[in-house]
Amino acid sequence: MISRWSLILLGFCSVNKNNLQSLYAYTDLPDFYTWTRDSALTLKVLIDMLIAGDASLQSVVDEYISAQAILQAVASPSGDLTDGTGLGEPKFEVNFTAFTGPWGRPQRDGPALRATALITYSQWLLSKGGNDNNVTSTIWPIISNDLHYLGQYWNSTGFDLWEEVDGSSFFATAVQHRALVEGQTLAERIGETCTACESQAPQVLCFLSQGYWNGNDGFVVSNINAQTVRNGRDADSILGSIHTFDPATGCDDPTFQPCSPRALANHKAVVDSFRPLYGINANHAQGQAVAIGRYTEDVYMGGNPWYLTTLAAAEQLYDALYQIDRLGHLDITPTSLAFFQDLDPAAATGCYAKGSQAYNTTTQAVGTYADGFLDIVQQYTPADGSLTEQFSRDDGHPLSAVDLTWSYASFLTATNRRAAIVPTSWSSSSSSSPPKTCAATSAPGTYAAPPLTCSQNATQVTVTFDVRETTVYGESVYVNGSAARFGGGAGVELHAYRYTSADPLWSGTAPPFPAGERIEYKYYKMGTDGVSVIREGGDDRVLVVPEGCTRDIVVSDVWQE
């Protein structure tokens, strides 16, 4: 069985289909799905680690690519690949089928983040003399679908980072702009075209730089074009800044680079909004780090600080220090002055050369401030090092989803940035000047199912049997049939892990069948007395186990009366 920590590391994002039987042992965990956004964010971290020298991660990345080729073609409540709408689906079952329950959809940041992860990997493969054909034939079709989606739908509303507000999201717009810019760069390198990248990136940047900034109060309004009573100060904006961080560029306001005056002013506004909110922040003075949540009006689980948002507050400052050090000078502007004066009351506007007393004093203060956010995370992390989603606003004990992948990824990126370990540049400086006039444009996309790849054809195929049948408490459902893999006797017992009154799903995975085998099967129910049997009606069902790359399939049935 794969380890629990392997699941945490992979974020349920590149499940090896041979491991589905093991994965079902974890379906009692909450939110056990493969998430488009979280998977891409996690894989971007692993790809950066691969580029930094951890060669053991390459097989994980390749599995992720294979998984995304499948998932892009899965029809869902968001739509399908015909017009690209299915790419906005936020999550899927771990057996590569659609999640059909109610949810905040579509979410338009996932395709951008997936494109960024795969573009980063492709550029690394090409730079090290890798297989150009692998990039153009296997990876580019996935990236191309995502870029076309961004070009076509960037100007349409969708649900925000927290899956709650339907509108325009700062985070989504920021990562969409990044993906289009670096998508154009990759397309040119491999001889492909991305007309949507070229035509839409400038307008996305225009919207990003002009649409969200509240110049009067000095912060990013994270959600616009939405029906919401929030004040706009949201950790979404800090996350947007760190996920579009470019270590090779300057402190650019239009892209809200971490060291930019706007980003630093926004950092202060967001952090200050949480100072009076939580009991655990009570003894932290102005200019000292505090625990950070999502937004001040949050009521989910009582509205608590999150590990990933508190870590993001630290990470932005480490990113900013890296950029300032590389530039060789510190600029304090009227926009960023209040941020710096919180840390050093003597701070004044001006340009301070690296090595000067003002430069040294101020940057050291920023570093100490950043470390304070890590100290808070350390203080409220259990002794076993596990990171949940949230920690209590009153006493700091862990809360909500256990072993949240994004929490671990955020810890890795924050500590890496503190050590000046940074990702590769995405050429933000090539597209940092927005047009003077913004236009609500769109580029119609074309989409195609990516090719499925595998190193060798499967000889065994795992089959998951799903059947929908309303049952009463105490009844059990089984599948049995002609093949020896059913084990004789009672057959394979199905489970009601995901059973609801609206979706009475029973599901179970049989031991692998030989590829190409023809099997006959039917479902039956065991009564509450554990003896009586109710068999479904109709003829025997027939399944021919597929041959080729496929290593698992899901059979989706409805009980026959």
Side-chain angles (χ1 to χ4, degrees):
M1 177 180 287
I2 57 177
S3 73
R4 180 166 177 259
W5 287 101
S6 295
L7 290 173
I8 293 166
L9 178 65
L10 303 185
F12 309 136
C13 54
S14 61
V15 176
N16 182 327
K17 291 174 280 185
N18 291 324
N19 285 328
L20 279 175
Q21 183 70 42
S22 298
L23 288 172
Y24 277 116
Y26 292 92
T27 51
D28 59 335
L29 296 176
D31 299 324
F32 184 82
Y33 303 99
T34 175
W35 302 76
T36 306
R37 176 198 303 112
D38 295 45
S39 297
L41 287 168
T42 303
L43 257 293
K44 178 58 166 62
V45 174
L46 299 185
I47 289 167
D48 289 342
M49 292 168 65
L50 168 64
I51 293 172
D54 189 347
S56 68
L57 294 172
Q58 186 159 7
S59 62
V60 174
V61 178
D62 289 338
E63 286 180 7
Y64 171 75
I65 293 168
S66 297
Q68 299 314 298
I70 297 170
L71 291 174
Q72 279 197 339
V74 175
S76 68
S78 292
D80 58 32
L81 197 56
T82 305
D83 59 358
T85 52
L87 298 174
E89 180 65 14
K91 66 179 184 178
F92 298 86
E93 304 287 357
V94 295
N95 59 12
F96 299 91
T97 61
F99 168 74
T100 57
W103 207 255
R105 54 169 68 92
Q107 295 179 26
R108 306 193 190 279
D109 53 359
L113 295 165
R114 176 168 54 202
T116 284
L118 296 185
I119 289 167
T120 303
Y121 182 55
S122 296
Q123 292 282 24
W124 176 73
L125 287 176
L126 295 171
S127 68
K128 63 190 288 290
N131 186 345
D132 290 9
N133 185 62
N134 183 36
V135 173
T136 57
S137 301
T138 303
I139 308 175
W140 175 254
I142 302 172
I143 296 172
S144 178
N145 282 334
D146 285 337
L147 295 177
H148 279 217
Y149 178 86
L150 301 179
Q152 184 167 358
Y153 297 109
W154 73 267
N155 197 37
S156 300
T157 58
F159 278 82
D160 70 331
L161 180 65
W162 311 124
E163 308 181 307
E164 296 170 344
V165 174
D166 187 4
S168 299
S169 160
F170 174 84
F171 179 86
T173 303
V175 297
Q176 287 167 349
H177 172 252
R178 171 179 177 165
L180 289 169
V181 170
E182 56 189 347
Q184 176 68 19
T185 302
L186 177 62
E188 293 174 352
R189 184 172 185 178
I190 62 176
E192 296 285 350
T193 58
C194 182
T195 54
C197 300
E198 190 172 3
S199 66
Q200 300 307 301
Q203 292 303 329
V204 179
L205 178 60
C206 195
F207 184 46
L208 175 68
S209 62
Q210 297 184 26
Y212 297 95
W213 178 245
N214 179 339
N216 292 328
D217 298 313
F219 69 90
V220 171
V221 181
S222 287
N223 295 289
I224 61 176
N225 301 325
Q227 297 296 320
T228 178
V229 295
R230 299 180 189 174
N231 64 41
R233 298 171 179 86
D234 192 313
D236 160 296
S237 55
I238 294 178
L239 289 161
S241 181
I242 66 175
H243 286 291
T244 54
F245 164 53
D246 188 336
T249 196
C251 301
D252 299 330
D253 266 341
T255 57
F256 292 86
Q257 287 300 302
C259 67
S260 68
R262 284 185 175 184
L264 291 174
N266 178 72
H267 188 284
K268 170 179 166 57
V270 173
V271 171
D272 284 353
S273 71
F274 290 101
R275 289 189 183 278
L277 193 64
Y278 303 143
I280 59 176
N281 290 343
N283 297 321
H284 295 253
Q286 193 73 23
Q288 292 182 328
V290 292
I292 304 299
R294 300 191 299 174
Y295 50 90
T296 56
E297 301 86 356
D298 193 5
V299 296
Y300 173 58
M301 296 289 295
N304 296 287
W306 287 42
Y307 289 104
L308 72 91
T309 52
T310 305
L311 288 163
E315 184 172 340
Q316 182 190 330
L317 302 182
Y318 294 134
D319 290 346
L321 288 172
Y322 183 92
Q323 292 176 313
I324 292 167
D325 178 74
R326 192 192 65 81
L327 290 171
H329 59 83
L330 167 67
D331 287 325
I332 300 179
T333 72
T335 300
S336 62
L337 178 60
F339 167 84
F340 288 107
Q341 286 184 331
D342 272 355
L343 309 182
D344 179 8
T349 57
C351 179
Y352 303 97
K354 185 176 180 179
S356 66
Q357 182 177 350
Y359 178 98
N360 292 339
T361 299
T362 305
T363 54
Q364 287 172 9
V366 173
T368 300
Y369 186 39
D371 287 347
F373 293 101
L374 290 188
D375 290 341
I376 289 170
V377 170
Q378 182 180 32
Q379 180 179 356
Y380 297 117
T381 297
D384 65 359
S386 62
L387 293 176
T388 57
E389 181 180 69
Q390 307 173 38
F391 52 105
S392 169
R393 62 191 291 158
D394 298 318
D395 60 16
H397 74 269
L399 291 170
S400 193
V402 299
D403 289 328
L404 188 72
T405 306
W406 197 354
S407 295
Y408 291 105
S410 297
F411 175 78
L412 289 174
T413 54
T415 53
N416 279 345
R417 301 302 175 266
R418 185 178 189 274
I421 301 172
V422 298
T424 56
S425 171
W426 58 273
S427 303
S428 65
S429 58
S430 68
S431 179
S432 60
S433 299
K436 294 182 179 180
T437 303
C438 298
T441 58
S442 176
T446 57
Y447 308 91
L452 303 182
T453 61
C454 61
S455 58
Q456 61 182 14
N457 289 339
T459 59
Q460 302 280 318
V461 177
T462 298
V463 180
T464 298
F465 292 90
D466 285 359
V467 64
R468 286 169 169 82
E469 168 63 356
T470 301
T471 55
V472 299
Y473 184 77
E475 287 185 323
S476 302
V477 179
Y478 294 79
V479 62
N480 208 342
S482 59
R485 292 298 194 278
F486 285 114
V492 175
E493 183 177 6
L494 308 188
H495 303 282
Y497 296 130
R498 293 170 287 158
Y499 184 104
T500 66
S501 58
D503 186 22
L505 175 64
W506 287 83
S507 181
T509 302
F513 294 91
E517 182 176 14
R518 182 183 187 275
I519 60 176
E520 298 177 359
Y521 68 97
K522 294 192 78 169
Y523 299 98
Y524 71 92
K525 292 187 287 188
M526 183 75 71
T528 57
D529 59 5
V531 177
S532 58
V533 172
I534 304 172
R535 302 185 186 278
E536 67 169 343
D539 296 332
D540 287 350
R541 303 174 186 270
V542 176
L543 170 68
V544 177
V545 181
E547 299 177 278
C549 287
T550 303
R551 285 174 166 76
D552 79 276
I553 61 171
V554 178
V555 176
S556 185
D557 294 322
V558 176
W559 182 274
Q560 298 176 148
E561 297 297 340

